[in-house]
Amino acid sequence: MRECPLTESRVLVQRAILERIEQERRTAHPLETGGFLEGYRRGRDIEITGLTVASSHDRASPVSFERCSLHHQQHLLASWRRSSGLISLVGDWHSHPAGQGAPSWTDRRAWARLIRSMHGDGVALIATAQGVRIFFLTALVKHKMASELLPIEETEHDCVFARS
Ligand SMILES: [Zn+2]
């Protein structure tokens, strides 16, 4: 298989996932909310096919969200088993009730932990009132762990994000 440069990685998100995230963001406002993203890795591309959403066992404030509930992990394990290992953890998402969705220092620290727990590259999504921002996470480039992707293609069912 050809090794694509980092900039060619694409992230495909089903529209239903983005709609669910928007719905969760609105419901939780003015608190943050979030969860895991699950999906497939295809070469350097990632397809997001599912997510976990917050429960009352998670910890949320207007400026922070912590996944404390066990259901996030349990959901991933169930998907992994049901798909015979095809679907796994590919990233996480959370909302920012205020601002433009710029990652905080805490976000970057959490993403560094996330990268270590995933077996490959990943995706971090920040949902704001203006829309979603998607960051490609990689352990390969130490000085630039997260790089923002932009929408390059939209169909009825999916949105594709890449370095434009
Ligand atoms: Zn954040």
Side-chain angles (χ1 to χ4, degrees):
M1 191 174 62
R2 192 170 66 95
E3 253 321 290
C4 296
L6 183 63
T7 50
E8 286 183 32
S9 293
R10 290 166 302 173
V11 172
L12 189 143
V13 194
Q14 294 175 2
R15 223 171 247 284
I17 307 280
L18 295 174
E19 282 162 11
R20 182 70 198 276
I21 286 173
E22 173 57 12
Q23 183 191 332
E24 292 291 320
R25 183 194 69 78
R26 280 169 184 260
T27 307
H29 191 85
L31 302 182
E32 284 196 14
T33 187
F36 282 133
L37 297 171
E38 65 180 15
Y40 307 92
R41 291 192 176 79
R42 292 188 183 146
R44 300 228 46 170
D45 296 338
I46 294 173
E47 177 172 351
I48 298 168
T49 58
L51 78 168
T52 65
V53 299
S55 85
S56 56
H57 298 291
D58 293 312
R59 244 178 250 146
S61 84
V63 292
S64 69
F65 176 77
E66 273 182 83
R67 278 183 313 261
C68 301
S69 171
L70 291 175
H71 83 275
H72 296 284
Q73 288 286 358
Q74 287 161 352
H75 178 105
L76 282 171
L77 189 59
S79 296
W80 187 79
R81 285 197 177 128
R82 203 168 44 236
S83 68
S84 305
L86 276 177
I87 295 179
S88 62
L89 173 67
V90 293
D92 75 2
W93 71 276
H94 72 285
S95 66
H96 279 189
Q100 308 294 313
S104 66
W105 188 77
T106 313
D107 290 340
R108 291 182 183 278
R109 208 175 39 177
W111 293 349
R113 272 200 307 272
L114 182 66
I115 288 173
R116 284 196 295 273
S117 68
M118 291 186 299
H119 303 284
D121 299 329
V123 180
L125 185 153
I126 297 178
T128 76
Q130 292 85 40
V132 297
R133 292 181 70 175
I134 292 208
F135 300 86
F136 191 81
L137 305 181
T138 182
L140 295 178
V141 189
K142 287 274 182 282
H143 61 279
K144 201 166 191 329
M145 163 190 92
S147 50
E148 186 160 12
L149 305 181
L150 296 170
I152 56 160
E153 198 184 318
E154 295 188 25
T155 70
E156 195 185 334
H157 299 292
D158 314 290
C159 294
V160 182
F161 295 78
R163 294 293 292 268
S164 55

